[in-house]
Amino acid sequence: MKRDKLPIAVFVSGRGTNLQSIIDAIEAGRLDAEIRLVVSNRSKAPALQRCERHGIPYEVIPSKKFETPEKWGEALIEAVKRSGAELVVLAGFMKVVPANFIEAFKNRIVNIHPSLLPAFKGLEAQRQAFDYGVKLTGCTVHLVTPELDSGPIIAQAVVPVLPNDTPETLAARILEHEHRIYPQVVQWFAEGRVRVDGNKVWVDGARYGTLPFNPELEKF
Ligand code: GRF
């Protein structure tokens, strides 16, 4: 069932190219979402300049300002609730999200990770994959659960490692696919097509039936 304008919150810490891909998809009319709020834990995140340019409201909520992760989590919950966002999109948010926040928005927080999970969790996943010598890597959009980079997988894109790659060229190619699949996944949420069944996520669609991997990804 298609619905109009899913209200979302995007969490960032850095340059914000994934945030930009979501902004671009909205502005191009490919994504029926509205960014109600961007949250950054860093006041100097370049991503915030993108908010300024596009007139998107943002708040800086650094974990350091709070005595405990729980208190920080409460502030995050409060900010997202106030914004009216129904989906939280982590886009390069470099802090572990507090447990109370995850509980408050169960199955409504998504993250993008630059590897084919469950391989290469944690930091510098592209370099980990490069150093390991895998021939295929990619990116994964998944639901956020308390265990880092381990929640149910919604979508993945495969990127080959080429003979002349460096960790940097590989990361840049993976990023292009991140920018393609992340807005597509948010659009699936906007269309109310995402169904979670244990650790499996299904995307319902009249055209392709119910698939864990969806050919629409190739076209978005
Ligand atoms: C991306 O590689 C994403 O997969 C990871 O953090 C990076 C964020 O980049 N979670 P950007 O800030 O969206 O440019």
Side-chain angles (χ1 to χ4, degrees):
M1 176 78 68
K2 198 171 156 102
R3 46 165 293 170
D4 26 49
K5 302 259 184 237
L6 175 71
I8 66 172
V10 184
F11 280 29
V12 298
S13 300
R15 63 191 170 172
T17 66
N18 277 288
L19 167 65
Q20 188 69 52
S21 74
I22 290 167
I23 295 170
D24 292 347
I26 291 172
E27 291 185 353
R30 278 181 293 136
L31 174 52
D32 303 317
E34 182 191 350
I35 304 176
R36 290 281 180 89
L37 178 67
V38 168
V39 171
S40 174
N41 63 318
R42 290 181 51 231
S43 60
K44 297 210 163 70
L48 298 178
Q49 292 163 22
R50 301 178 192 274
C51 297
E52 303 263 4
R53 280 203 291 275
H54 293 269
I56 296 166
Y58 63 84
E59 282 184 43
V60 178
I61 311 179
S63 57
K64 283 180 289 197
K65 260 185 60 187
F66 299 87
E67 279 163 31
T68 61
E70 289 70 29
K71 293 223 164 96
W72 183 45
E74 281 164 22
L76 296 173
I77 292 168
E78 173 61 29
V80 172
K81 285 201 169 149
R82 220 185 309 123
S83 76
E86 290 173 17
L87 182 74
V88 177
V89 179
L90 306 186
F93 191 61
M94 300 306 285
K95 276 271 172 190
V96 175
V97 181
N100 54 348
F101 185 84
I102 296 175
E103 185 55 35
F105 296 99
K106 198 163 186 282
N107 287 346
R108 289 190 290 144
I109 312 171
V110 290
N111 181 44
I112 188 152
H113 183 78
S115 75
L116 291 176
L117 288 172
F120 311 122
K121 296 176 182 179
L123 293 175
E124 294 199 49
Q126 307 95 325
R127 183 177 292 276
Q128 290 184 53
F130 180 86
D131 289 346
Y132 196 94
V134 293
K135 303 298 182 196
L136 296 171
T137 182
C139 49
T140 303
V141 180
H142 64 94
L143 289 166
V144 173
T145 56
E147 203 186 331
L148 191 70
D149 299 331
S150 299
I153 290 170
I154 305 169
Q156 294 183 304
V158 177
V159 177
V161 182
L162 302 178
N164 295 328
D165 262 335
T166 62
E168 291 73 27
T169 60
L170 178 60
R173 258 192 352 278
I174 293 172
L175 194 62
E176 287 174 24
H177 289 266
E178 295 184 33
H179 296 164
R180 189 170 57 80
I181 71 171
Y182 215 6
Q184 169 71 88
V185 168
V186 177
Q187 176 63 10
W188 287 339
F189 276 93
E191 291 173 343
R193 291 167 59 193
V194 179
R195 202 156 49 80
V196 184
D197 179 12
N199 70 327
K200 306 269 195 316
V201 178
W202 304 95
V203 179
D204 295 325
R207 234 167 124 203
Y208 299 110
T210 301
L211 298 167
F213 175 79
N214 197 308
E216 287 167 46
L217 268 180
E218 300 305 314
K219 298 200 237 102
F220 197 76

